[in-house]
Amino acid sequence: MNVTRLSVCFCAVLLGLGLAAPTLTIQPQAGNFTWLVKMFSPEDLEPATYSILGIIGKLYEEGDSFLTIVLFLFSVAFPTGKLCLYWVASDPGQSSPRIEILLRWTHRAGKFSMAEVFALALMVLVVKALPGGSTASVEWGAYVFVASVLGAILVSFRLDDASNESPLTELPKNSRKDNSD
């Protein structure tokens, strides 16, 4: 197995861990009424820890379709699809026309790599903006998820370098007609 494919496997493992691992812990507060809530409903002030998949599931349960779809696309579907493209593009046995097409797609996919991190940051920001002094702390799963995204960016660079080195993947120069007749 070549280094690029091994890197894609490593990124896929990190992605799976990052999606399922604890990502965000919310410590609810009720502002000046925290003491009252603690007396009558202490379970409402218990910290809750979510994974990215858990957050998506919670949004789905609460009927927030728009955020559910956006977070699912940018946190699950897009990174998984991108790693699949990288896997196929890194196959040394591929024919050159297919590699060309896949490398173009992987290059396009690489441009959106930070969208996944943006989705994660959006989740943290939304929770931190809750009233009453509620706090959100980032857990180790968030760092694993970000490591997967950064690893995928490095794989993208490696695939880009490999395509530039290969004489089979050079595109023919456009032949322009000189209209200086």
Side-chain angles (χ1 to χ4, degrees):
M1 184 178 290
N2 67 29
V3 174
T4 305
R5 285 197 138 202
L6 192 59
S7 299
V8 172
C9 286
F10 185 66
C11 288
V13 169
L14 289 176
L15 177 63
L17 277 173
L19 290 173
T23 303
L24 190 64
T25 297
I26 301 169
Q27 177 64 54
Q29 296 293 318
N32 294 335
F33 299 102
T34 300
W35 63 273
L36 187 60
V37 175
K38 280 185 181 179
M39 279 183 15
F40 291 107
S41 186
E43 66 277 356
D44 288 339
L45 295 178
E46 290 181 11
T49 301
Y50 298 98
S51 66
I52 293 173
L53 293 175
I55 291 169
I56 293 169
K58 187 80 166 166
L59 288 169
Y60 178 75
E61 288 172 7
E62 292 176 2
D64 194 340
S65 300
F66 177 73
L67 274 180
T68 300
I69 291 168
V70 168
L71 290 177
F72 179 80
L73 285 175
F74 285 110
S75 299
V76 181
F78 184 73
T80 302
K82 184 172 57 176
L83 288 175
C84 289
L85 279 174
Y86 291 170
W87 176 262
V88 175
S90 65
D91 184 6
Q94 292 291 332
S95 63
S96 83
R98 186 170 181 188
I99 290 175
E100 279 298 323
I101 292 167
L102 287 170
L103 287 175
R104 276 188 237 138
W105 276 102
T106 56
H107 183 67
R108 288 180 186 136
K111 291 180 181 180
F112 296 100
S113 290
M114 294 313 286
E116 299 109 35
V117 176
F118 170 74
L120 183 61
L122 176 67
M123 289 185 271
V124 173
L125 181 66
V126 166
V127 172
K128 287 191 179 242
L130 292 175
S134 295
T135 59
S137 55
V138 178
E139 300 293 335
W140 65 272
Y143 298 106
V144 173
F145 182 79
V146 170
S148 171
V149 171
L150 294 175
I153 291 171
L154 294 175
V155 167
S156 170
F157 290 152
R158 186 166 178 86
L159 286 171
D160 214 19
D161 289 345
S163 72
N164 290 335
E165 291 172 5
S166 173
L168 294 175
T169 60
E170 288 181 15
L171 297 174
K173 295 181 181 178
N174 288 339
S175 56
R176 288 191 228 169
K177 291 186 179 181
D178 190 14
N179 293 333
S180 60
D181 294 6

